[in-house]
Amino acid sequence: MTKHKEELEHRLKLRNIKLSDYDDIRDIMVSIYKDQGGAWTRQELKNQIKAFPEGQICIEDNGKVVAAALSLIVDYAKFGDNHTYDQITGFGKFDTHDNEGDTLYGTDVFVDNEYRGMRLGRRLYDARKELCENLNLRSIIAGGRIPGYSKYYDQMTPRKYIDLVKSKEIFDPVLSFQLANEFHVRKVITKYLPEDTDSRAYATLLEWINIYYEKDEKLIGNKKSIVRLGLVQWKMRRFNNVDDLMQQVEFFVDTVSGYKSDFCLLPEFFNAPLLAEFNDMDASEAIRNLADYTDEIVSRMRDLALSYNVNIIAGSMPEYDGKKLRNVSYLCRRDGTIDKQYKLHITPDEQSYWGLQGGNGIKVFDTDAGKIGILICYDVEFPELGRILAEQEMDILFVPFWTDTKNAFLRVNTCAKARAVENECYVAITGSVGNLPRVENMDIQYSQAAIYSPSDFSFPHDATVAQASENAETTIVADVDLDLLTKQRKAGSVRNLEQRRLDLYSVQLKRKK
């Protein structure tokens, strides 16, 4: 390789600033800020490094600093939004730095003019974000110049100018870059940098929110990031009584608990084999007699959740209060508490054979492993329900189902995939397999249990976390990462929840009187 080629070859390195970098930094600042005060002095840079060495970042090329970003940590409440640059930086001394503060404050980002177009500013911004996350700080805040405003100040207000930059009708060399790096404008401030004539002394107060920030983190009992799901693809078989049924349930709970699962999901009407006891009755009478077992099964499910340390979504069972027959899924938490979700939409077959009625409410359930929703079978085919749950910050949607044919299964399965994409959540589905030839209206089963995710780079390429074999009694045990959902909602390739046109439409749950 010739000497000329070696000189042209870049060797970029991201690192923390050293005092020996001062000459390079001074040269860049003088060329860029010649009309705004020039460069920091060597003593000022020394003070900044001493106050917060991790926050002073640079990019070198072949040993020469070509770009840099400076920052400090502050207790932002002490300054508020109406501060000046000199106030928050201690006139460049960084004696306002507070290791116990909650905000990373960006003071400077600058790039050598010869290196413009190489997107080094983006690398520095990404490094700041990484620092903010690793230090568990609430956000990054910075005052931003709007140098392009000097061309428009006699035509519009700063607010109007910022709106036009946001909509890309106007390009501002500083603000356009900051908006592209996921900062949002908190407000317009005046006299931030009085000497900044290009910005007419106006500035934008910008913020990037750390979505991973955890306040008052505890040593134990923190919110889980990695959650393990256990799904039971249940085989319909004859049981003589509730004890036989619960023995099989306990086998599967024990199995998924042995893998330290946080949840165990059973299918819709998993207790249907007990209908065989009522074969001599009309179908509607038989299902009401089956409902007599529900309280006992729920009580025993709660005991299993406690003893095996797993949250159980107990599929669904019939509930009859003497007036209404409904289909209900019980959540038996491992802390001993119980919640329930009624099936809201009743299929024509369920209505005509059994006289089932739909419930009237839906909600997200808090658990020690995230916020969850439950939609029973047919309910997942109604996108409004998934959206209502997503607006309540649901992380995982559980769908216990029962389908007899592949056509019916594909309706549930396809809609479950759609709910995962459009609501940026995980969706876990499971049903039953086998047959019950002597139980009317429950004779055949079709299932392929699965766990689905959003469809983006952070998730499996086909948006399928795990999938069971068709029509085989088995379990799925798989991990889902809730932090990836947070990332998806704020920084995904598409952001279905964030980018809804709420000015045009909304989905609302009506309160039944």
Side-chain angles (χ1 to χ4, degrees):
M1 183 180 290
T2 67
K3 182 178 180 181
H4 179 66
K5 287 183 178 178
E6 289 177 349
E7 291 173 349
L8 291 177
E9 187 176 85
H10 292 295
R11 292 185 177 87
L12 299 179
K13 181 181 179 182
L14 179 73
R15 61 172 174 82
N16 288 115
I17 293 173
K18 300 174 290 187
L19 188 59
S20 58
D21 298 318
Y22 176 72
D23 290 343
D24 291 340
I25 289 173
R26 178 199 59 205
D27 291 345
I28 301 172
M29 293 188 74
V30 167
S31 66
I32 294 174
Y33 299 136
K34 57 187 176 183
D35 297 326
Q36 285 91 39
W40 296 114
T41 67
R42 181 182 291 272
Q43 185 59 46
E44 285 170 332
L45 182 64
K46 182 178 180 179
N47 292 338
Q48 293 162 2
I49 295 173
K50 182 179 179 181
F52 184 34
E54 300 86 352
Q56 319 320 321
I57 305 165
C58 70
I59 297 174
E60 70 169 45
D61 185 17
N62 291 302
K64 177 186 177 182
V65 174
V66 297
L70 310 179
S71 61
L72 67 159
I73 298 173
V74 297
D75 180 353
Y76 193 71
K78 292 181 179 179
F79 297 92
D81 288 346
N82 295 314
H83 61 267
T84 68
Y85 184 83
D86 287 338
Q87 287 171 343
I88 206 159
T89 64
F91 292 88
K93 297 188 295 292
F94 279 23
D95 56 7
T96 52
H97 174 76
D98 182 356
N99 281 321
E100 301 302 316
D102 62 352
T103 300
L104 185 67
Y105 195 91
T107 64
D108 289 282
V109 173
F110 44 83
V111 178
D112 190 310
N113 287 323
E114 294 183 7
Y115 285 76
R116 296 292 175 88
M118 293 180 64
R119 299 191 176 186
L120 300 189
R122 183 178 292 272
R123 295 195 193 195
L124 292 170
Y125 268 55
D126 287 344
R128 266 187 184 166
K129 293 173 185 177
E130 182 181 5
L131 180 65
C132 182
E133 291 172 357
N134 289 338
L135 292 175
N136 191 36
L137 298 174
R138 182 180 59 81
S139 65
I140 302 174
I141 288 182
R145 301 174 60 235
I146 44 174
Y149 183 57
S150 60
K151 300 177 183 177
Y152 300 92
Y153 78 96
D154 58 348
Q155 304 172 35
M156 63 185 73
T157 64
R159 178 176 178 178
K160 178 64 175 177
Y161 175 80
I162 291 167
D163 287 342
L164 290 174
V165 174
K166 285 181 179 179
S167 62
K168 300 187 185 301
E169 297 296 329
I170 293 176
F171 175 79
D172 184 277
V174 176
L175 180 57
S176 294
F177 170 76
Q178 291 165 327
L179 294 174
N181 278 275
E182 301 175 333
F183 280 74
H184 70 272
V185 179
R186 280 175 65 117
K187 66 174 296 184
V188 178
I189 48 180
T190 59
K191 300 179 181 179
Y192 181 72
L193 282 168
E195 65 274 19
D196 183 8
T197 55
D198 286 343
S199 303
R200 297 289 163 170
Y202 289 106
T204 54
L205 190 66
L206 297 135
E207 183 175 32
W208 176 85
I209 297 173
N210 175 14
I211 56 179
Y212 302 116
Y213 173 63
E214 291 283 351
K215 186 176 181 181
D216 299 325
E217 190 167 337
K218 299 177 291 186
L219 294 179
I220 60 173
N222 286 307
K223 177 185 175 183
K224 281 178 167 284
S225 171
I226 305 299
V227 175
R228 183 160 294 175
L229 308 184
L231 280 57
V232 178
Q233 187 157 275
W234 172 268
K235 183 177 180 179
M236 290 292 190
R237 52 168 62 84
R238 292 294 295 269
F239 296 112
N240 293 322
N241 49 49
V242 174
D243 287 338
D244 284 352
L245 173 79
M246 292 307 299
Q247 184 178 44
Q248 188 68 14
V249 169
E250 184 171 4
F251 167 79
F252 281 114
V253 171
D254 184 16
T255 298
V256 300
S257 173
Y259 292 106
K260 301 187 184 304
S261 296
D262 295 294
F263 291 98
C264 176
L265 174 66
L266 292 163
E268 180 183 22
F269 284 130
F270 69 94
N271 64 336
L274 296 177
L275 278 169
E277 182 182 347
F278 313 112
N279 265 348
D280 58 336
M281 300 179 183
D282 177 82
S284 62
E285 185 181 359
I287 196 76
R288 284 162 175 77
N289 276 272
L290 180 64
D292 290 340
Y293 293 125
T294 295
D295 286 346
E296 179 184 353
I297 294 173
V298 172
S299 177
R300 294 174 70 165
M301 285 284 189
R302 179 196 58 202
D303 293 343
L304 291 177
L306 287 167
S307 59
Y308 287 97
N309 192 29
V310 61
N311 300 298
I312 300 175
I313 294 95
S316 81
M317 293 171 278
E319 176 189 271
Y320 184 56
D321 62 4
K323 295 181 180 179
K324 290 184 178 181
L325 176 70
R326 292 183 289 192
N327 187 356
V328 61
S329 178
Y330 282 88
L331 166 63
C332 299
R333 298 184 184 88
R334 53 186 165 194
D335 66 1
T337 59
I338 295 175
D339 257 312
K340 61 183 177 180
Q341 175 63 58
Y342 289 107
K343 188 172 185 177
L344 304 185
H345 297 88
I346 305 304
T347 66
D349 191 57
E350 292 168 334
Q351 172 61 41
S352 62
Y353 272 88
W354 292 331
L356 274 169
Q357 298 184 47
N360 294 322
I362 187 171
K363 68 174 184 176
V364 164
F365 303 100
D366 287 314
T367 75
D368 60 3
K371 293 178 177 290
I372 72 164
I374 302 171
L375 293 179
I376 303 172
C377 197
Y378 192 31
D379 282 344
V380 79
E381 299 177 32
F382 296 83
E384 299 89 346
L385 298 181
R387 179 50 48 85
I388 289 168
L389 293 173
E391 288 175 342
Q392 298 176 45
E393 300 180 343
M394 172 185 65
D395 298 310
I396 308 168
L397 175 60
F398 290 97
V399 183
F401 69 87
W402 167 72
T403 53
D404 53 354
T405 65
K406 189 169 185 178
N407 307 66
F409 163 74
L410 287 175
R411 289 196 298 269
V412 171
N413 186 62
T414 303
C415 291
K417 290 180 179 180
R419 301 299 85 84
V421 171
E422 68 199 15
N423 296 308
E424 297 169 328
C425 65
Y426 295 105
V427 180
I429 67 171
T430 196
S432 53
V433 301
N435 58 77
L436 289 171
R438 295 182 59 194
V439 177
E440 187 178 357
N441 204 38
M442 297 291 290
D443 38 359
I444 60 173
Q445 325 286 319
Y446 190 104
S447 175
Q448 186 173 25
I451 302 169
Y452 298 117
S453 73
S455 184
D456 211 337
F457 299 116
S458 298
F459 303 96
H461 72 94
D462 58 356
T464 303
V465 177
Q467 193 169 45
S469 300
E470 294 174 279
N471 292 331
E473 184 174 38
T474 187
T475 61
I476 292 177
V477 177
D479 290 343
V480 295
D481 189 339
L482 303 189
D483 282 348
L484 291 181
L485 297 180
T486 306
K487 179 181 178 181
Q488 174 67 27
R489 292 162 185 166
K490 292 294 183 182
S493 299
V494 294
R495 303 163 201 174
N496 297 73
L497 287 176
E498 182 182 272
Q499 296 181 319
R500 286 169 294 153
R501 287 292 304 276
L502 297 180
D503 57 320
L504 296 180
Y505 57 81
S506 64
V507 177
Q508 295 181 333
L509 181 65
K510 295 181 179 179
R511 300 299 173 189
K512 195 173 181 68
K513 296 181 180 180

